[in-house]
Amino acid sequence: MKLNIKNETSRLRAVVLGTAESPGPTPEYEHAYDPKSAEHIKAGTYPVEEDMVREMEAVREVLERYDVKVYRPKLVKDLNQIFTRDIAFVIDDKFIKANILPDREEEIEAIQYVIDQMDPDKVIELPEDVHVEGGDVMLYNDDLFIGAYYGEDYSQFITARTNLKGVEHLREMFPNKKVKSFNLRKSNTEARDNALHLDCCFQPVGRGKAILYKDGFLDMEEYQWLVNFFGKENIFEITRQEMYDMNSNVFSISEDVVISERNFTRLNSWLRENGMKVEEVPYAEIAKQEGLLRCSTLPLIRD
């Protein structure tokens, strides 16, 4: 398999789409990985398998309609395998395994059959103290945007998934890329104030456009840097509630086609106004786990 990912929007050819089958029982409140899941566990509204499977099937149907090769993880019973973006990511022609939370290691084993099709020299394992998850890695051709948490209390946040060592490691691995990191707002208790990954508050779409949430960034200079980079007129600013609903976590099949949640009416109108075709899918149940379309896809090949 010839891996190739240079950005978020080139025509998609192959992807690993997670699976919602057999995700196991609703987690205990104190074992939730993020505040949004915890909120729904407490409220008794945590999503059920049947609904999540239906939502993911809708995405698979869209992808296959566009002739995208869709790989699925092998099923591990009673394991949440929805969010494939957490476990690995591709930059250029390299497949990088994330250092994820230890009790999620089985997830990467479930896509080993895909990894076996790659050049083993292109499959990278990170040192143990280097933390990076795919949701924090955003490609924009020669630019590499990385979400992180800079605070010395990093280890106290289950929601902090990428550290400064992760940023530096990628900078060394890809010396030809301009690497820019962003210090993200984290909260273990309030999902509306938690940018779990960079793609929870920012994503490029279409041709030179971007979705952005100002308060996901702790450093206003870093936020402003993005505004200047894309140009204010090319940015769709989302509200705190839209960030909570995961409006920035859509997924591009190409510069002209975006898969989006059907309830994102304001965003979807803006995408259409800017010349993009919007493939609307139901994904509100999966969103309750603080992840959406980008989180549940791991692109392998784009043009």
Side-chain angles (χ1 to χ4, degrees), residues 24-249:
T26 298
E28 298 293 321
Y29 178 76
E30 55 275 12
H31 294 153
Y33 289 140
D34 63 83
K36 195 169 180 184
S37 294
E39 194 179 304
H40 285 286
I41 293 166
K42 197 172 182 179
T45 52
Y46 193 79
V48 297
E49 177 179 349
E50 182 186 355
D51 292 339
M52 294 191 294
V53 166
R54 190 179 67 249
E55 289 183 345
M56 295 204 85
E57 282 308 296
V59 176
R60 182 186 60 78
E61 284 169 19
V62 172
L63 290 166
E64 290 183 345
R65 191 154 29 88
Y66 284 89
D67 296 323
V68 176
K69 170 74 177 160
V70 180
Y71 297 94
R72 307 300 293 270
K74 286 194 169 156
L75 192 62
V76 181
K77 273 187 77 64
D78 294 334
L79 182 70
N80 186 328
Q81 296 176 268
I82 293 169
F83 299 121
T84 51
R85 184 78 64 154
D86 291 354
I87 59 176
F89 51 95
V90 176
I91 299 178
D92 293 345
D93 60 352
K94 291 184 172 64
F95 182 90
I96 300 163
K97 294 183 182 180
N99 274 338
I100 48 169
L101 303 167
D103 45 358
R104 295 185 60 185
E105 279 167 6
E106 279 181 288
E107 288 180 63
I108 193 87
E109 291 163 18
I111 62 166
Q112 187 59 47
Y113 80 97
V114 183
I115 299 169
D116 288 342
Q117 298 173 46
M118 301 169 191
D119 175 351
D121 293 337
K122 304 284 189 186
V123 178
I124 312 292
E125 300 218 12
L126 299 170
E128 207 168 305
D129 59 345
V130 169
H131 297 179
V132 193
E133 286 189 356
D136 277 324
V137 179
M138 200 74 70
L139 287 84
Y140 200 79
N141 303 316
D142 294 334
D143 293 276
L144 187 54
F145 305 135
I146 304 172
Y149 181 64
Y150 303 170
E152 290 186 5
D153 54 351
Y154 173 90
S155 61
Q156 291 164 35
F157 284 99
I158 194 169
T159 51
R161 304 294 176 80
T162 298
N163 60 11
L164 283 169
K165 281 187 177 173
V167 176
E168 287 312 310
H169 198 81
L170 290 179
R171 187 174 271 128
E172 287 163 21
M173 272 182 72
F174 298 95
N176 298 332
K177 293 212 184 279
K178 298 189 282 272
V179 175
K180 175 75 177 170
S181 67
F182 301 91
N183 195 16
L184 302 182
R185 188 177 302 281
K186 302 291 178 183
S187 171
N188 285 341
T189 54
E190 174 51 84
R192 287 163 187 81
D193 297 324
N194 179 48
L196 188 65
H197 291 120
L198 182 59
D199 61 15
C200 297
C201 56
F202 161 67
Q203 191 177 177
V205 286
R207 293 174 174 82
K209 310 281 182 202
I211 305 163
L212 194 57
Y213 175 62
K214 183 177 186 175
D215 289 336
F217 299 84
L218 286 172
D219 184 337
M220 279 304 101
E221 284 183 13
E222 291 179 351
Y223 157 79
Q224 194 58 48
W225 187 93
L226 280 171
V227 173
N228 296 342
F229 184 92
F230 285 92
K232 197 166 181 54
E233 68 283 0
N234 294 313
I235 288 172
F236 183 80
E237 291 267 4
I238 58 177
T239 65
R240 185 171 182 248
Q241 182 61 38
E242 285 169 334
M243 189 280 294
Y244 173 78
D245 293 334
M246 313 289 299
N247 275 236
S248 63
N249 207 275

